[in-house]
Amino acid sequence: MRTLGHIVSRDVLLAIRRRADVATTLFFFVIVASLFPLGMGPDPKLLRAMAPGILWVAALLASMLSLGRLFDADYADGSLEQLMLVPEPLALVVIGKVMAHWLISGLPLVLIAPVIALQFDLPAGSLGTLLLALLLGTPLLSLIGAIGAALTVGVRGGGVLVSLLVLPLYVPVLIFGAGAVDASATGMDASGHLSILGALLLLGMVLAPWATAAALRISLE
């Protein structure tokens, strides 16, 4: 646990020193989500109908925007090879880096999303569902994205390749995350969508770190 804490604190501290990179993800989400109400017009019914999909697509793209920073900086300065030599399992190192990635890119999106959702005239109850769905879904986006980032570490033009690898795997998260908010907005029970998101998150927490560790070994060989 001390090793895990050191990895998380190290990556968070490095991200704080590169505040522009962190702000880019948040600004991208805010700008993309804010442009749609301007383009679609002021019709409240249309905005409420489109809100779940727009907010989740914006969060998905913003999360994917930061995947290139997950391993590339450590690979460039040689510290990734050093992390692979620690006596703890490599999957533990991956968990620490994914946690740090979510804290600096996923958590700000979760906190700002209900404020942005006010532009779409979402009901108050749907804001809580949106917050809960993002709390379950954004860590899963980081876990899935880590696999793609590990497979493309050190590859020229890896950002485009990561997008091609992880976008198909993001589709279930997008469907059930947006579906939960849409169900809540229309007065239906969103617990089924949230339960599936929670199950996917648990599955990702168990399998993704080991898959990412294997991908890192393959990429660095």
Side-chain angles (χ1 to χ4, degrees), residues 97-129:
K97 295 189 73 64
V98 170
M99 288 176 61
H101 176 266
W102 181 77
L103 287 173
I104 61 182
S105 64
L107 184 59
L109 299 184
V110 174
L111 298 178
I112 198 66
V115 179
I116 301 300
L118 295 175
Q119 301 177 94
F120 296 89
D121 196 34
L122 278 179
S126 299
L127 298 180
T129 304

Side-chain angles (χ1 to χ4, degrees), residues 15-31 62 65-66 69 104-105 108-109:
I16 292 174
R17 292 176 179 175
R18 300 191 300 264
R19 286 185 290 270
D21 292 341
V22 180
T24 300
T25 302
L26 186 60
F27 286 156
F28 179 86
F29 173 73
V30 172
I31 291 171
L65 190 67
S66 62
R69 300 192 297 270
I104 61 182
S105 64
L109 299 184

